[in-house]
Amino acid sequence: MNSDPATVPTRVYTAEQTDAGWRSMSLLVRHVQRGGHPVAVTPTVELQAEEKQYGSFLVDVSAYFSTKVDYSSSIFASGGLFFTGHSAEQSSEARAGWSDGERRAATVTSQRLLVGDTAYDFRSLIMIQPNPLDWSVNLYFQGAQPIMLRGPWVPWMTVVMCAELYGSPWPPGHAPEMDIPIKDMCENAQ
C-alpha cells in the first residue's frame, strides 16, 4: 500500500478512450443542466425494484486505509462525520494511505454502484469528491473504507451519480471548469 496518493499506479489510456469518456461526460453535464436525466441501458446485472442501470465499464479501484481511524465504522450524525479509533496493536501490520489500484468492473445504477463483487448503496453515500481532470472520484460510504475510482469513464459516472442524487451534474459546492478543450485532456493519453 502507498501512503501518497500520487504514487498510486497510473494506468495509461488511449486517446480514443479518454476522448469518448470526456465527450460523453460533457454532453451529459449539459443535458442534466437543462433538466435532463441519464438514459437507462439494458441491464447487465440483476436489478432491485425500481432500479435502472446506466452503464458498465472498467475502473482502477484504490481504497484508503488509516492506522488511526476505522473508516468502515463511520457514522454520520448531526454536526458531522464520526469515526472509530484504532489502537496501535490493531493496526501494526497495516500502513496508512491509498492501496494500489486494481482494475475492476463497475456498474452504475439509479440506486447503487457495483464495483467487482461489492455493492455500494447510494443511501449510504456520505461524500463525493470528483476530480474529472484526473479522471477520478473519491467516494465515502458509511460502513466502508473510502474508495478512489479512476478511468476514462469515471467523470461520466460521477455526473450520472450526482444527477441521480442531487439533480445536478456535480455535488453541492463543486462546479469544475468544464471549458477545457478535449485536445488538452488527451495529449498525454498515449
Side-chain angles (χ1 to χ4, degrees):
M1 285 189 276
N2 298 313
S3 60
D4 180 7
T7 63
V8 172
T10 302
R11 306 288 185 180
V12 177
Y13 302 106
T14 67
E16 292 80 20
Q17 290 171 318
T18 57
D19 183 43
W22 190 260
R23 284 184 195 280
S24 295
M25 180 212 50
S26 298
L27 290 170
L28 184 56
V29 165
R30 287 192 284 279
H31 181 66
V32 171
Q33 287 173 332
R34 286 181 267 167
H37 199 77
V39 177
V41 297
T42 303
T44 59
V45 297
E46 187 174 333
L47 299 177
Q48 300 171 356
E50 306 294 320
E51 187 175 28
K52 298 177 242 170
Q53 181 176 330
Y54 295 120
S56 292
F57 41 88
L58 294 176
V59 296
D60 296 323
V61 183
S62 300
Y64 189 81
F65 296 94
S66 172
T67 58
K68 297 185 171 76
V69 176
D70 180 5
Y71 290 101
S72 65
S73 64
S74 64
I75 60 167
F76 188 78
S78 177
L81 186 60
F82 297 95
F83 299 99
T84 304
H86 270 286
S87 72
E89 297 82 38
Q90 289 175 316
S91 355
S92 61
E93 296 178 26
R95 290 183 15 201
W98 289 101
S99 65
D100 291 338
E102 294 181 19
R103 189 151 289 173
R104 299 223 175 133
T107 301
V108 63
T109 76
S110 57
Q111 298 175 10
R112 303 175 290 163
L113 173 64
L114 305 155
V115 180
D117 295 333
T118 306
Y120 298 94
D121 193 304
F122 290 166
R123 291 175 296 186
S124 298
L125 185 63
I126 297 168
M127 183 170 48
I128 299 175
Q129 291 178 316
N131 187 356
L133 300 180
D134 187 39
W135 313 102
S136 68
V137 65
N138 295 349
L139 300 170
Y140 300 83
F141 290 91
Q142 185 172 338
Q145 297 298 120
I147 59 172
M148 178 193 316
L149 304 179
R150 181 174 280 143
W153 289 94
V154 169
W156 173 86
M157 179 210 70
T158 304
V159 173
V160 168
M161 288 176 65
C162 290
E164 193 64 40
L165 292 165
Y166 311 116
S168 68
W170 305 109
H174 184 85
E177 179 61 49
M178 298 311 300
D179 293 333
I180 298 169
I182 189 129
K183 181 179 177 198
D184 294 341
M185 290 299 301
C186 299
E187 68 182 10
N188 294 324
Q190 297 183 25

